[in-house]
Amino acid sequence: MESFEQSLATVGRQLNEELDRLLPLSEGPERRLQEAMRYSSLDGGKRLRPFLVLQSAQLFNCTPSGALQVAAAIEMVHCYSLVHDDLPAMDDDDLRRGRPTCHKAFDEATAILAGDALLTKAFEILANIHTHSDPNVRCELISELALAAGDRGMVGGQMFDLMAGDLDLDVAAVTHLQTLKTGRLISFSTQAGAILGKAPWQQRQALKAYAHDLGLAFQIADDLLDVEGDVAAVGKGVGKDAEAGKGTFVSLLGVERARTQADMLWRQAVQHLDCFDERADQLRQAAQFVVERKA
Ligand code: GRG
């Protein structure tokens, strides 16, 4: 079996080729927009969400080409969120994935449009017949992604986050915020494989429970990196949460308790996969990876 690191690198290569195919350049005035879309999505990031899609899809013997399209669609939504999050009106960041943010490399208006177009493109891909031959499956993917990314998911979480500086959040509130902001898209990434494979209810629930704990563990690790990480390794600004006076798992629990909590969560995430055989081993390893990562 490939090691987890090899597997993640393979997904990275496959996804890059897929994004390159799905985001061609044309010759009109829209070319600059397309360049900004490619700049923001090709060659970078850990590709954790695509990895989760492909690994959950192979549990149910899904067609790899369809799963790869779904993986690319989810990564496009993730990249759009990063481009918009980096804008001056939001986090105002200069660095993302070790490179200038989209609005620095292009300009603000182009970055807004590139984010919009990546989001729209994701739904175009899910609706495409090559994603799955069954239109009910395509509809469910579209509907679930809309729920995960919209006002009751990622965008709602971002709104909550923007207001968080003025609110005195406790651990339960921070958990809710992060479940919306990052958890829902991570959860959809594992559900997507189950939807593509028309998985039985019990296995869908197991993947949901896994993704819930994985998402929280991921976020605690992100908070720890914001406190302890190194800009060069992380590839984005650090110390931003403390600067903004935001309640995070680390500010509320302290470094040691946050680390213990993350450790408990990844182990719990692995237990939720007990109904799967060794084909879920890479997902099991991913749970540990999200906590031990350095970027
Ligand atoms: C602007 C609509 C909108 C939403 C923004 C996801 C998000 C919501 C903002 C990103 C800001 C941030 C640092 C969130 C913390 C967790 C997170 C999503 C980190 C980035 O994800 P990774 O670590 O990034 O998977 P890579 O670059 O590896 O893909």
Side-chain angles (χ1 to χ4, degrees):
M1 190 179 86
E2 266 189 331
S3 74
F4 172 76
E5 285 74 17
Q6 283 168 332
S7 242
L8 197 59
T10 305
V11 168
R13 279 192 298 277
Q14 288 173 330
L15 191 83
N16 232 35
E17 282 168 23
E18 187 69 358
L19 289 169
D20 184 42
R21 183 181 76 78
L22 292 166
L23 296 170
L25 290 167
S26 46
E27 284 310 324
E30 68 276 23
R31 189 180 175 92
R32 181 174 166 80
L33 171 66
Q34 293 163 340
E35 280 168 351
M37 292 164 78
R38 291 172 64 89
Y39 177 84
S40 308
S41 57
L42 285 155
D43 303 316
K46 294 178 288 299
R47 308 306 201 185
L48 176 68
R49 294 153 193 82
F51 178 88
L52 295 173
V53 176
L54 297 178
Q55 285 297 326
S56 58
Q58 60 84 36
L59 292 175
F60 309 107
N61 303 317
C62 301
T63 319
S65 59
L68 198 54
Q69 290 208 162
V70 177
I74 294 180
E75 186 68 11
M76 285 183 194
V77 172
H78 171 56
C79 293
Y80 122 75
S81 81
L82 299 180
V83 170
H84 281 193
D85 185 67
D86 290 335
L87 287 166
M90 299 214 197
D91 247 19
D92 195 10
D93 272 306
D94 295 349
L95 197 64
R96 170 70 64 186
R97 294 175 164 176
R99 297 195 297 178
T101 46
C102 186
H103 66 277
K104 287 282 167 191
F106 292 81
D107 56 74
E108 262 183 69
T110 307
I112 292 169
L113 295 176
D116 292 342
L118 282 169
L119 174 64
T120 316
K121 179 67 81 178
F123 288 98
E124 179 193 323
I125 293 165
L126 293 186
N128 183 286
I129 191 156
H130 297 300
T131 292
H132 199 287
S133 56
D134 184 343
N136 291 320
V137 166
R138 301 202 298 275
C139 262
E140 189 175 355
L141 288 168
I142 290 167
S143 159
E144 290 295 319
L145 179 59
L147 285 169
D151 60 310
R152 287 160 194 267
M154 185 179 71
V155 179
Q158 179 75 351
M159 185 77 243
F160 193 175
D161 197 27
L162 289 173
M163 295 163 70
D166 301 327
L167 305 171
D168 204 8
L169 301 186
D170 58 12
V171 173
V174 171
T175 303
H176 180 56
L177 188 163
Q178 298 302 348
T179 300
L180 296 178
K181 189 176 146 186
T182 56
R184 289 281 154 86
L185 200 60
I186 288 179
S187 183
F188 175 65
S189 304
T190 60
Q191 280 308 296
I195 295 170
L196 281 167
K198 301 186 181 177
W201 184 84
Q202 191 219 355
Q203 298 190 340
R204 280 192 188 211
Q205 290 309 111
L207 283 170
K208 253 184 207 157
Y210 162 81
H212 176 267
D213 292 343
L214 180 87
L216 282 177
F218 174 92
Q219 190 53 50
I220 297 176
D222 210 72
D223 290 354
L224 284 164
L225 282 172
D226 193 63
V227 173
E228 301 180 319
D230 169 67
V231 178
V234 178
K236 62 180 180 182
V238 294
K240 303 276 296 184
D241 294 337
E243 203 180 289
K246 276 185 196 165
T248 68
F249 288 110
V250 174
S251 71
L252 291 168
L253 299 173
V255 167
E256 281 320 307
R257 278 178 66 205
R259 208 186 302 285
T260 307
Q261 187 70 11
D263 199 58
M264 188 274 287
L265 280 163
W266 83 253
R267 289 172 199 280
Q268 195 171 282
V270 169
Q271 282 173 9
H272 292 305
L273 299 177
D274 281 352
C275 59
F276 296 106
D277 62 15
E278 69 283 353
R279 282 188 298 173
D281 279 353
Q282 297 282 4
L283 288 174
R284 294 184 177 97
Q285 290 191 42
Q288 186 169 6
F289 164 80
V290 300
V291 172
E292 293 178 357
R293 68 200 166 96
K294 299 281 174 255

